[in-house]
Amino acid sequence: MTHLQAGLSPETLEKARLELNENPDTLHQDIQEVRDMVITRPDIGFLRTDDAFILRFLRARKFQHFEAFRLLAQYFEYRQQNLDMFKSFKATDPGIKQALKDGFPGGLANLDHYGRKILVLFAANWDQSRYTLVDILRAILLSLEAMIEDPELQVNGFVLIIDWSNFTFKQASKLTPSMLRLAIEGLQDSFPARFGGIHFVNQPWYIHALYTVIRPFLKEKTRKRIFLHGNNLNSLHQLIHPEILPSEFGGMLPPYDMGTWARTLLDHEYDDDSECNVDSYNAPAKDIEKDLSPKSMKRSQSVVDPGVLKRMDKNEEENMQPLLSLD
């Protein structure tokens, strides 16, 4: 075992060996091979190429050198192409802070039976008057940056549960294809995290419609890890044990405290609202939403498009039922 694996338990070390092809004898060579590829992309500013940083990309791509490098390049390219998103990229930024305090994201105290961190989002908590969808995405990315420092999570990964209860049609109308593409690029294509499952619960019909729009833009591997449970919490419990879930998900624990993760990041500044001036942060964030990358989806209207709904035939509805296996 090298010093780069010092933070891993014996069980996780074995998992890294079996599932990720991680070999302590060749670890430094693997890292160097990825680092040597940096010169092939002079158009990208690689701000970090240290061993520990590159290792998380290798783990995310099961030590396939080229795939790990491509992910590393996309990580920095995404930040170059969306510079405004990463200005004031810290927990105390007013927009990020408000999103964090409303539970975007939340994190459960217990890991699942695979050692994965369980992230939770309660969609209806979004207060459109105080922060934007871009702020929510920034808060999620910032949180993942903090969590991925844990080598155990680099190997074991994450699970995400999104509760759509009371999420209104008006709120859903803000989920434009360009905004969703920005999120997909940032989370699926440009971040070194392993997501073992993304679970939708209590989703209304217009979230089903949203899914039909974004589905073609998701990788097959991602599609296989999306579970649409609706009101059937029993199917959720088949994958995540109710003993570690809060009562909102039919679990045995007390209701989730939305400020839990925010207090971890913000510490003593959690209760300091001196920076939270609505006018100061809403305008720049709205500008970002209006000026998303031209690479975004060509559809420019709300995802809740009547034309999409008409095309939702019986087969499509069947395809959106929960998938009950992970590969």
Side-chain angles (χ1 to χ4, degrees):
M1 183 178 74
T2 75
H3 72 281
L4 291 169
Q5 297 177 307
L8 299 180
S9 68
E11 295 79 13
T12 307
L13 273 171
E14 182 65 4
K15 183 176 183 178
R17 183 182 70 84
L18 294 175
E19 295 185 15
L20 307 185
N21 306 307
E22 185 167 328
N23 183 347
D25 296 332
T26 62
L27 197 57
H28 289 284
Q29 179 182 340
D30 293 327
I31 291 169
Q32 190 58 47
E33 289 199 26
V34 173
R35 187 184 289 116
D36 288 344
M37 297 183 198
V38 166
I39 62 171
T40 67
R41 292 297 306 271
D43 56 311
I44 296 175
F46 291 87
L47 303 182
R48 279 190 68 181
T49 57
D50 56 275
D51 288 358
F53 190 69
I54 290 178
L55 178 56
R56 65 186 64 171
F57 291 86
L58 280 163
R59 285 171 170 162
R61 290 297 181 264
K62 297 186 176 181
F63 278 76
Q64 299 177 57
H65 297 161
F66 180 74
E67 291 302 318
F69 171 70
R70 184 161 67 174
L71 181 62
L72 176 68
Q74 287 172 172
Y75 173 92
F76 285 114
E77 187 174 33
Y78 181 79
R79 280 149 181 74
Q80 285 182 191
Q81 292 176 345
N82 301 285
L83 289 174
D84 287 343
M85 280 182 59
F86 296 95
K87 290 178 180 176
S88 187
F89 190 56
K90 56 186 179 181
T92 54
D93 172 84
I96 292 177
K97 182 176 182 178
Q98 290 303 316
L100 288 170
K101 292 177 75 171
D102 279 352
F104 294 107
L108 301 189
N110 296 304
L111 305 175
D112 77 354
H113 55 293
Y114 293 112
R116 299 178 299 202
K117 181 74 173 179
I118 303 173
L119 304 178
V120 295
L121 299 175
F122 294 88
N125 282 5
W126 175 30
D127 185 345
Q128 300 179 61
S129 68
R130 304 178 75 193
Y131 51 91
T132 70
L133 282 171
V134 170
D135 289 322
I136 291 176
L137 177 57
R138 294 169 72 220
I140 292 171
L141 288 170
L142 180 68
S143 297
L144 286 172
E145 290 283 3
M147 294 176 185
I148 207 66
E149 293 288 333
D150 183 348
E152 288 277 325
L153 296 183
Q154 293 173 21
V155 175
N156 293 322
F158 300 85
V159 173
L160 174 63
I161 307 175
I162 307 177
D163 186 354
W164 297 98
S165 299
N166 303 313
F167 189 70
T168 66
F169 188 94
K170 182 178 179 181
Q171 287 175 308
S173 70
K174 303 295 184 182
L175 297 172
T176 60
S178 55
M179 181 65 233
L180 291 168
R181 180 59 181 267
L182 189 72
I184 291 170
E185 289 179 348
L187 295 168
Q188 173 188 259
D189 303 330
S190 309
F191 196 85
R194 306 180 68 216
F195 280 94
I198 300 171
H199 301 269
F200 287 12
V201 298
N202 302 314
Q203 70 274 10
W205 63 268
Y206 36 86
I207 297 303
H208 279 283
L210 177 153
Y211 181 66
T212 65
V213 172
I214 68 170
R215 196 173 188 275
F217 299 92
L218 299 174
K219 295 177 180 176
E220 180 63 25
K221 190 174 181 180
T222 302
R223 290 200 292 267
K224 289 181 178 180
R225 284 162 168 73
I226 294 178
F227 302 83
L228 300 166
H229 299 281
N231 298 321
N232 181 13
L233 295 181
N234 287 331
S235 65
L236 175 67
H237 297 163
Q238 290 178 33
L239 300 170
I240 304 177
H241 298 160
E243 291 82 1
I244 62 173
L245 292 174
S247 59
E248 293 93 333
F249 303 123
M252 299 180 181
L253 298 181
Y256 180 70
D257 177 356
M258 298 298 169
T260 300
W261 173 244
R263 281 190 285 271
T264 300
L265 278 186
L266 289 160
D267 196 18
H268 64 280
E269 297 185 62
Y270 178 86
D271 294 315
D272 180 8
D273 291 327
S274 60
E275 295 182 55
C276 295
N277 180 307
V278 173
D279 292 336
S280 70
Y281 67 78
N282 260 5
K286 287 178 179 176
D287 289 343
I288 296 172
E289 290 187 345
K290 289 178 182 178
D291 189 30
L292 294 176
S293 168
K295 294 197 313 178
S296 298
M297 295 179 187
K298 293 181 180 179
R299 304 180 188 89
S300 60
Q301 301 303 315
S302 165
V303 297
V304 188
D305 183 344
V308 170
L309 300 181
K310 290 178 183 178
R311 293 193 297 273
M312 286 180 63
D313 58 22
K314 186 175 181 179
N315 289 333
E316 286 177 310
E317 292 178 355
E318 289 175 353
N319 287 338
M320 292 189 294
Q321 296 308 306
L323 303 171
L324 295 180
S325 65
L326 286 175
D327 62 2

